[in-house]
Amino acid sequence: MNLPAYVEALSQGGSGPLGIPGPFYLAILRVLILVGATLTLVPGLIWFERRLLSWMQDRQGPNRTGTITFGTSFLGIPIPKGLQGRKIQTFGLLQPIADGLKLFLKEDITPANIDRKVYFIAPFVALFPAFTLGGTLPWGATHLPFSAVAGGLYSHLTPVADVEIGLLFVLAISSLGVYGVVLAGYASNNKYSLMGGLRASAQLISYELGMGVSLACIAMAVGSLKMSEIVRAQEGPLWGAFPVVQNWFVFTPFGFVSFVVFLVCMIAETNRAPFDLPEAENELIAGYHTEYSSMKFAVFFMGEYAAMFIFSGILSAVFLGGYNLMPFRWEYLAEAVPAARGFFQNMAWANYWLGPLSFVAKCAAGIALYIWIRATLPRLRYDQLMNLGWKTLLPVAVANFIIVGIWVVCTELYGAAGGWAAVLAAFVVVAILYTNVVAAVQKAAPASAGPRRSIRLVKPEGR
C-alpha cells in the first residue's frame, strides 16, 4: 500500500503501528511533524541570519566552524596523497551546533533572591505560543486538484487543528508571548530586567490593536475565521474579475493595506529590530533575560526564532496564498486552453505536491525580510513606537476595516464591479481626509517649535 492510501486507511479508523487507532496516530503524527520541523529549522535560521547579516554588512560571518582538513592518516590508515592537506568548507553550518553544545555545557547560574517557580517557568511560556500558533497553519493543500471535496495526503496531515476561530485563536495565543518576557523580568529580582519586561507589556498594547483590526479586515472579506478557508478563498479569481490569477489578498487594495499593517505589527510582536525595546542592550544591559544563563537563556532565543518562522507562516497563509506556489489558477487554465491542458494539469499537481516546500520558502522569505530590516533600521525610541502604534497603525487599520465593510455591502447589492468602484471611491475620500487632517495639524503646531530646518549635503571641493 502506498503512503497516501495508507494515510487514508488510518483516517477511516484503521490501526497504526503498535495497534494505535488511526485518528489518534495521525493526530500524534501531525504534532510531531510541527514540533520536529520547527525545532530542526531554528538552528538553520540562526545560521541564516548570521550569514545574511554579514553579507549585508560586508563582513565574513561564521565560516570556520566545521572546516575539515585532511592530514596524512586517520586512525593509522594512510590518507591518499591527493587528499592530504585539502580542506572542505562547511561555510559555518556547524556553528549553531557548536553554540548549542557550548550552552549545554556552560555553567548554569541561578541568582539567589528570585521567585524560583516563575523564574524557571518564564522561558517555556515564551516558547509556548510559537508551537501553539503553528498548529493552526495549513502547510499543504487539503483538496486534490480538480476536486472541490477535501481529500488527499495533506488533508490528513495538516493543520494540526483547523479551529473554527482560527484568526481569533492567533490573536489570543500571540498575546500570551509577552507573559514570558514580563514574568522573566519580574522573577529575576533585577530592576533593569523588570524595566525590560514592563516595556514589553506596554509595547504589546500599542500594536496588538492594529494587528487585530488588520486581520479582521481579511476575516470580513472571507466570511470565515478558519485559516484553511482563508487560504482556500485566495484561490478564487483575482478581484472576482480576472479568472487566470488567484486572489491573493496582497494583490487587493484593502488586503495590501492590511498586509503592511500586519507586517509591522508582526515584527513588533516578535521583539525584533527596530522594535526590540524589551532588550535595548545599550540602556538596559541585556533586558529581561539578563539573569538567565545556559539553556534557559537559549530557550528564549529558540522561542524568538520559532515565533519569527511561525508568524512568517501566518503572513503567508493570510496574505500570500499559503501553500500555493504561484498565483495562477491552473485548473481554470486547463479548461480554458485545451491545447495546453496537459501542461496546466501537471502544473496543478506540482502545485499540490510542492505545497509544503512552497510554504516553507515563503516563511524563509519572511525570515530574510526580518534580517534585512534588522540590518537596515536602527532601534526606535520608545515614544516613536507608541506614536507609530496609536497614531498610525490603528487609524489606518480602522479606516481599512470600514472600507472592507463598504466593499462587502456594495458587492452584495451591486455585484463585483459595484463593490470595487465603492472601494476606490472610499480610498479617494480617505486620502483627501488624511491630507486635510495632516495639513491642519501642521498649521496648528505651536510657534515655539520654531521653523523647520533642513540639511543640504555638499560635495567637498577637489573630490
Side-chain angles (χ1 to χ4, degrees):
M1 183 183 296
N2 57 25
L3 181 60
Y6 180 62
V7 171
E8 181 68 29
L10 290 177
S11 68
Q12 299 299 325
S15 296
L18 304 178
I20 300 176
F24 180 81
Y25 175 71
L26 287 178
I28 298 298
L29 183 60
R30 288 196 295 269
V31 172
L32 291 177
I33 290 173
L34 170 67
V35 175
T38 304
L39 291 179
T40 303
L41 287 169
V42 164
L45 296 179
I46 297 172
W47 172 86
F48 181 58
E49 176 169 26
R50 297 175 71 175
R51 290 290 292 188
L52 190 55
L53 273 178
S54 64
W55 178 74
M56 291 177 174
Q57 297 170 350
D58 194 22
R59 54 187 176 83
Q60 289 293 326
N63 64 343
R64 296 182 181 274
T65 304
T67 299
I68 301 172
T69 305
F70 290 97
T72 56
S73 64
F74 179 73
L75 299 178
I77 302 173
I79 292 178
K81 291 185 178 180
L83 292 177
Q84 292 180 12
R86 281 182 163 273
K87 292 184 178 181
I88 297 178
Q89 298 286 344
T90 59
F91 306 102
L93 279 169
L94 300 182
Q95 185 67 48
I97 298 176
D99 292 339
L101 289 174
K102 180 191 74 173
L103 288 169
F104 268 114
L105 301 175
K106 189 176 181 180
E107 181 183 3
D108 188 3
I109 300 173
T110 302
N113 300 317
I114 59 171
D115 188 326
R116 295 187 65 85
K117 292 182 180 179
V118 178
Y119 177 84
F120 286 105
I121 290 174
F124 300 99
V125 174
L127 185 62
F128 165 78
F131 294 108
T132 308
L133 292 177
T136 64
L137 295 179
W139 45 261
T142 56
H143 293 70
L144 289 170
F146 311 100
S147 173
V149 182
L153 175 65
Y154 299 138
S155 66
H156 305 299
L157 299 179
T158 182
V160 175
D162 194 12
V163 292
E164 294 287 343
I165 55 170
L167 289 184
L168 286 179
F169 186 79
V170 166
L171 292 172
I173 298 300
S174 64
S175 64
L176 297 180
V178 73
Y179 280 91
V181 176
V182 174
L183 293 177
Y186 161 77
S188 296
N189 194 26
N190 180 316
K191 301 304 181 290
Y192 292 105
S193 298
L194 179 60
M195 286 294 293
L198 292 177
R199 280 185 168 191
S201 60
Q203 180 174 318
L204 171 76
I205 299 171
S206 299
Y207 61 77
E208 278 252 313
L209 289 174
M211 176 187 285
V213 177
S214 68
L215 291 179
C217 295
I218 304 303
M220 183 187 295
V222 175
S224 174
L225 293 169
K226 293 179 69 172
M227 298 292 284
S228 60
E229 292 295 331
I230 291 173
V231 177
R232 187 74 173 163
Q234 296 178 75
E235 297 175 356
L238 179 64
W239 296 13
F242 302 97
V244 174
V245 183
Q246 291 185 348
N247 191 47
W248 292 10
F249 285 119
V250 73
F251 297 150
T252 63
F254 66 85
F256 180 76
V257 174
S258 292
F259 170 80
V260 173
V261 173
F262 181 82
L263 179 64
V264 176
C265 295
M266 176 183 80
I267 298 170
E269 175 75 41
T270 50
N271 295 327
R272 294 284 298 184
F275 305 111
D276 51 344
L277 293 170
E279 296 181 29
E281 295 92 342
N282 57 336
E283 47 186 288
L284 295 177
I285 45 181
Y288 60 92
H289 49 56
T290 299
E291 303 297 339
Y292 285 85
S293 60
S294 189
M295 284 308 296
K296 296 192 296 295
F297 178 81
V299 169
F300 277 113
F301 280 89
M302 289 175 60
E304 177 180 313
Y305 283 93
M308 289 167 58
F309 182 78
I310 295 301
F311 270 95
S312 297
I314 295 173
L315 184 75
S316 303
V318 177
F319 298 101
L320 301 175
Y323 43 75
N324 289 289
L325 183 61
M326 290 182 285
F328 295 109
R329 302 184 67 226
W330 303 113
E331 298 171 30
Y332 171 82
L333 289 170
E335 296 296 328
V337 187
R341 178 175 299 171
F343 170 77
F344 292 129
Q345 288 178 341
N346 290 334
M347 290 300 298
W349 282 101
N351 182 71
Y352 174 80
W353 288 111
L354 297 178
L357 291 178
S358 173
F359 187 78
V360 172
K362 291 178 182 179
C363 293
I367 297 295
L369 182 61
Y370 270 111
I371 300 168
W372 186 12
I373 292 173
R374 177 182 176 183
T376 305
L377 299 178
R379 180 181 291 133
L380 296 179
R381 293 198 316 267
Y382 200 66
D383 62 308
Q384 291 173 325
L385 169 67
M386 303 294 282
N387 285 333
L388 178 64
W390 290 107
K391 295 183 179 180
T392 302
L393 294 179
L394 182 58
V396 168
V398 171
N400 192 47
F401 183 78
I402 295 172
I403 291 174
V404 174
I406 294 172
W407 172 72
V408 171
V409 173
C410 291
T411 300
E412 289 289 334
L413 295 176
Y414 308 111
W420 287 113
V423 165
L424 293 176
F427 269 113
V428 171
V429 172
V430 168
I432 294 173
L433 288 175
Y434 174 79
T435 303
N436 283 274
V437 169
V438 170
V441 170
Q442 291 177 347
K443 186 176 180 180
S448 59
R452 281 180 168 269
R453 295 183 296 175
S454 60
I455 299 175
R456 184 166 60 92
L457 299 179
V458 180
K459 183 177 181 181
E461 295 182 3
R463 293 188 181 182

